Amino acid sequence: MDLGSGVSRGAVFVPAIRELGAAVLVVTGIDDVDVIAEALESGAVGFVRKHQPFDDLLGAIRRATDGEDVNHPDVRAAVLGDARRVRSAQAAVLADLRRLTAHEQAVLAALMGDHGPQPGPDDS
């Protein structure tokens, strides 16, 4: 599965593919650890970056089909740990933004030209 398919964050498809009984190996050019971690958390058996040698991809496929760890446990733990740190930092920034007054939010939106994060359905 390619996480950068342009359709969506590819990780949203992992559970459905797993339900069909298939193992999901992510092959990606994306360096965003949060996106890779999302795929792993959703049930992907591992990941290979597109810039890695083709033999690495073949080895990952063999390990996945044999039920072995695709990525070394330390690599997997590092990606998941990095993603937790990224998410924590993002949550801290969002918490700070939520403390802004309505006037401060309006000024920030004007400065950003409405290109900043848009409120979600529960952020009313």
Side-chain angles (χ1 to χ4, degrees), residues 25 40 45-48 63 68-76:
L25 175 64
L40 294 173
V45 297
F47 68 96
V48 177
R63 287 188 301 279
E68 299 173 9
D69 287 336
V70 172
N71 302 105
H72 189 280
D74 291 344
V75 171
R76 185 180 183 95

Side-chain angles (χ1 to χ4, degrees), residues 1-19 24-28 30 32-47 79-80 87:
M1 164 174 281
D2 185 350
L3 295 179
S5 64
V7 176
S8 175
R9 282 174 71 127
V12 301
F13 301 111
V14 172
I17 296 169
R18 297 279 298 158
E19 285 178 19
V24 177
L25 175 64
V26 173
V27 180
T28 187
I30 294 175
D32 186 337
V33 294
D34 190 41
V35 174
I36 296 169
E38 185 179 346
L40 294 173
E41 293 163 345
S42 296
V45 297
F47 68 96
V79 167
L80 295 173
R87 292 170 184 162

Side-chain angles (χ1 to χ4, degrees), residues 79-103:
V79 167
L80 295 173
D82 288 349
R84 279 191 295 276
R85 284 186 286 284
V86 166
R87 292 170 184 162
S88 178
Q90 290 171 339
V93 169
L94 289 174
D96 288 342
L97 290 174
R98 288 186 180 106
R99 286 193 287 272
L100 295 176
T101 66
H103 176 71

